[in-house]
Amino acid sequence: MKIAVPKERQPGETRVAASPDAVKKFVAMGFDVVIEKGAGDGASMTDTDYQEAGATLAKDEASALKDADLVLKVQKPLLDDKLNEVALMKKDAVLVAQINALVNRDDVDAYAKAGIMAFDLQLMPRISRAQSMDVMSSQNNLAGYKAVIDGVAEFGSALPMMMTAGGTVPPAKVFIMGVGVAGLQAIATAKRLGAVVTAYDVRPATKEQVESLGGKFVIVDEEAMKDAETSGGYAKEMTEDYKKKEAQVIGDHVKKQDIVITTAMIPGKPAPVLVTEDMVKTMRAGSIIVDLAVEAGGNCPISEPGKVTVKHGVKLVGHTNVPSRLASDASSLFARNIVNFLTPQVDKESKSLKFDWEDDTVKGTLLTRDGKVVNPALTGEGS
């Protein structure tokens, strides 16, 4: 069986879907691995590293994908007039990538039409057994860390309290909005750097997590929070009454902060607005907002994707694809997630993939099969 790993061609993407360590594991399973030349350059993984791990190099993407049984990518394939990556894949090839299928439905239809069996790693179910396969967790963990580092880099003061002969520098106040994987890592990182950390989320279970990391939890409406989480562990969209109360409580808190990091996302929907322009106007000059949801519309509506801007005296950091800003670690973790996902689906005797269609990790991520879209979340059969 041939595994192909092409170079990522989405703008700004520096990660790669397989590390040399992952290649070693695939080769040990009896697979042939082909890496497009330069695929790992952005993640500091050289062609030589891959060759030493047992991979063969392909001169270009077409050569890499030709006759490939399994294609591994970080981002979804390009499907435009300049380059149609799906057209380079053979019928019945298996594609494993982050596809964001709930938003990119047209792409999913194209995979079905091309006879591609596609898996969207972003739909990995949130069950204990799948934690080691969850790319959302591994990549968001790094994004939460990097958000703090990016915020500190733009902030004109120190984070920890500093007692000097010339006087005392007070600790900075950092507020984390959204306590998922990214938010928790942001809390831990800001705390380690010496900041006074507060955090907020609509889900009640996060209060204890925040406090365990040394942060203080901001409560809006304790009763309403009891029904604020989906069975999959994501935050629900709240009622209008809750949103009004939330805006008042959060607004009063935000204006006292030095750095605000927003991480709130709702799968398949625009990001909820947490910091309004009116709130930004109340913040001190030189304050920072790092908006990790900027690609989904932003938790702050005046943040701009791919830009660092200053509005009302506040610096808004809108870096996109934040995990790619830590490409080496992000690629290593991403590749490990894929290995963990595929390993249970490998038939050792035939040295090929033999999917267990009743496996929750397979059912949850499978988008297309036999020329049809089969994922319940896309067919309307899901809850």
Side-chain angles (χ1 to χ4, degrees):
M1 192 180 88
K2 175 183 173 182
I3 299 176
V5 182
K7 186 185 298 184
E8 295 295 322
R9 285 171 167 80
Q10 294 281 359
E13 183 55 73
T14 56
R15 291 172 291 177
V16 62
S19 63
D21 184 60
V23 169
K24 289 180 183 178
K25 288 181 169 61
F26 286 131
V27 170
M29 294 177 196
F31 300 153
D32 295 324
V33 183
V34 178
I35 307 284
E36 182 185 356
K37 282 188 176 181
D41 287 354
S44 302
M45 298 176 184
T46 68
D47 290 343
T48 300
D49 293 335
Y50 286 114
Q51 286 178 306
E52 291 178 349
T56 302
L57 297 181
K59 63 179 181 179
D60 55 29
E61 185 174 26
S63 300
L65 297 182
K66 183 181 180 182
D67 299 326
D69 302 293
L70 171 62
V71 178
L72 305 181
K73 287 182 58 60
V74 175
Q75 299 276 9
K76 66 185 183 71
L78 291 175
L79 275 167
D80 55 38
D81 295 335
K82 293 182 179 179
L83 177 60
N84 184 336
E85 292 182 282
V86 172
L88 299 176
M89 303 178 198
K90 72 175 186 178
K91 185 179 179 181
D92 295 328
V94 176
L95 169 66
V96 176
Q98 292 184 124
I99 292 164
N100 197 7
L102 297 179
V103 174
N104 299 307
R105 177 54 197 266
D106 288 347
D107 291 57
V108 178
D109 290 336
Y111 307 150
K113 186 177 180 180
I116 303 295
M117 184 187 296
F119 290 86
D120 186 357
L121 295 172
Q122 289 174 301
L123 295 179
M124 187 65 66
R126 287 196 158 183
I127 56 178
S128 297
R129 187 170 60 82
Q131 288 180 356
S132 66
M133 313 171 191
D134 191 349
V135 297
M136 297 294 284
S137 290
S138 70
Q139 303 304 290
N140 287 343
N141 202 335
L142 291 170
Y145 163 80
K146 187 60 173 172
V148 176
I149 302 304
D150 286 340
V152 173
E154 300 291 347
F155 188 48
S157 301
L159 249 64
M161 175 184 287
M162 293 186 180
M163 302 182 71
T164 74
T168 300
V169 175
K173 296 177 181 177
V174 177
F175 181 36
I176 314 298
M177 302 185 73
V179 188
V181 174
L184 288 170
Q185 183 57 248
I187 292 167
T189 302
K191 193 67 182 176
R192 283 196 297 267
L193 292 175
V196 173
V197 182
T198 53
Y200 167 72
D201 196 293
V202 298
R203 296 167 298 167
T206 59
K207 180 176 184 292
E208 185 176 338
Q209 295 171 324
V210 169
E211 292 171 347
S212 72
L213 292 171
K216 182 178 179 181
F217 192 80
V218 177
I219 296 176
V220 171
D221 186 333
E222 202 159 6
E223 188 63 30
M225 288 172 61
K226 293 178 181 178
D227 188 38
E229 188 171 355
T230 69
S231 59
Y234 293 99
K236 284 184 179 178
E237 190 165 3
M238 303 300 285
T239 65
E240 290 303 316
D241 286 343
Y242 182 91
K243 289 178 181 178
K244 289 178 182 178
K245 189 172 183 179
E246 177 186 62
Q248 182 178 348
V249 173
I250 297 304
D252 289 341
H253 190 69
V254 162
K255 65 185 180 183
K256 304 170 188 176
Q257 304 305 304
D258 297 302
I259 299 176
V260 176
I261 296 173
T262 67
T263 72
M265 300 279 283
I266 300 174
K269 295 183 179 181
V273 174
L274 301 182
V275 182
T276 65
E277 184 169 6
D278 285 341
M279 290 182 192
V280 176
K281 292 177 181 178
T282 69
M283 296 177 70
R284 292 190 289 263
S287 300
I288 308 293
I289 296 175
V290 182
D291 192 345
L292 282 182
V294 69
E295 290 171 272
N299 295 141
C300 179
I302 60 173
S303 58
E304 298 183 31
K307 296 181 180 180
V308 177
T309 57
V310 178
K311 298 179 182 179
H312 309 299
V314 175
K315 189 172 286 189
L316 296 112
V317 181
H319 294 307
T320 57
N321 193 3
V322 175
S324 191
R325 293 167 59 78
L326 296 168
S328 181
D329 286 335
S331 297
S332 293
L333 291 176
F334 192 95
R336 203 170 302 160
N337 293 144
I338 290 180
V339 170
N340 292 338
F341 169 55
L342 293 176
T343 298
Q345 311 303 326
V346 174
D347 182 76
K348 294 181 180 179
E349 291 186 7
S350 64
K351 296 181 180 179
S352 62
L353 289 173
K354 189 176 181 180
F355 288 104
D356 176 0
W357 304 115
E358 296 304 312
D359 186 323
D360 287 338
T361 67
V362 174
K363 288 194 296 183
T365 57
L366 179 63
L367 300 178
T368 57
R369 183 185 177 193
D370 298 329
K372 298 178 181 179
V373 176
V374 297
N375 194 284
L378 300 177
T379 60
E381 298 172 12
S383 57

